[in-house]
Amino acid sequence: MRITFTANGKPVEADDVWEGESLLYVLRERVGLPGSKNACEQGECGSCTVYLDGTPVCSCLVAAGQVQDREVRTVEGLAEENGELGLVQQAFVDAGAVQCGFCTPGLLVQTDALLEKDDQPSDNDIREALSGNLCRCTGYEKIMDAVRLASARKCAGKGHGE
């Protein structure tokens, strides 16, 4: 089947999609957006998290046909229009929260979603928001630091905390 949807603000079309293919597979293999990672294929690790119509979802659990005429935003879509890293992406780099990088795309999307809802989350809010994302490298403290840094920068940009 052919599916059409919007990915990171641009219309995309994928041909010869098997009805059981995951959105993750379509993004990575058919439309050239490899940022989301394929780790567990069971929705347990969060590495494949993307936005679907503004809601974070595990793309490995979404059947490709379900995205027909819908909006998908991937980790690539978090970057600035000029190609520079977005606020959350830069905070993860600056805080040293990127190690092997496998979990990073999902963590970035979840962090972005958290800060859209609450730009000054508590540590408990951060832990809850990221509880579906597994990381085997960092021990999570640098990830927590990155979210706090992104929060502070976002608030500073809005004039909060002055």
Side-chain angles (χ1 to χ4, degrees):
M1 74 178 159
R2 171 182 290 164
I3 59 170
T4 57
F5 59 100
T6 304
N8 301 326
K10 298 177 182 159
V12 296
E13 187 174 278
D15 288 319
D16 299 321
V17 175
W18 171 63
E19 60 189 37
E21 271 179 34
S22 68
L23 171 58
L24 176 61
Y25 185 86
V26 169
L27 290 171
R28 290 180 58 80
E29 305 299 330
R30 296 195 185 274
V31 297
L33 294 170
S36 302
K37 302 301 181 208
N38 185 4
C40 72
E41 296 186 45
Q42 297 176 3
E44 296 291 330
C45 71
S47 295
C48 67
T49 303
V50 299
Y51 284 108
L52 180 57
D53 293 334
T55 302
V57 299
C58 290
S59 61
C60 70
L61 297 179
V62 176
Q66 291 179 287
V67 302
Q68 180 67 37
D69 300 324
R70 295 176 76 183
E71 171 69 36
V72 175
R73 187 171 173 219
T74 68
V75 66
E76 291 95 339
L78 299 181
E80 299 294 330
E81 286 187 26
N82 64 5
E84 298 208 3
L85 295 178
L87 183 136
V88 172
Q89 294 167 315
Q90 190 63 56
F92 268 65
V93 171
D94 293 346
V98 178
Q99 298 228 346
C100 82
F102 218 74
C103 65
T104 306
L107 286 165
L108 291 169
V109 172
Q110 285 290 31
T111 298
D112 184 74
L114 170 64
L115 296 179
E116 285 297 313
K117 287 189 243 175
D118 179 1
D119 59 7
Q120 294 181 304
S122 68
D123 282 358
N124 283 338
D125 293 335
I126 296 169
R127 284 186 197 95
E128 177 67 26
L130 301 182
S131 64
N133 295 79
L134 302 179
C135 175
R136 295 181 179 168
C137 300
T138 65
Y140 296 97
E141 196 52 44
K142 295 217 182 257
I143 293 167
M144 295 289 292
D145 292 343
V147 179
R148 290 184 202 110
L149 180 59
S151 170
R153 288 177 176 169
K154 184 172 183 176
C155 289
K158 289 184 174 180
H160 293 160
E162 296 179 58

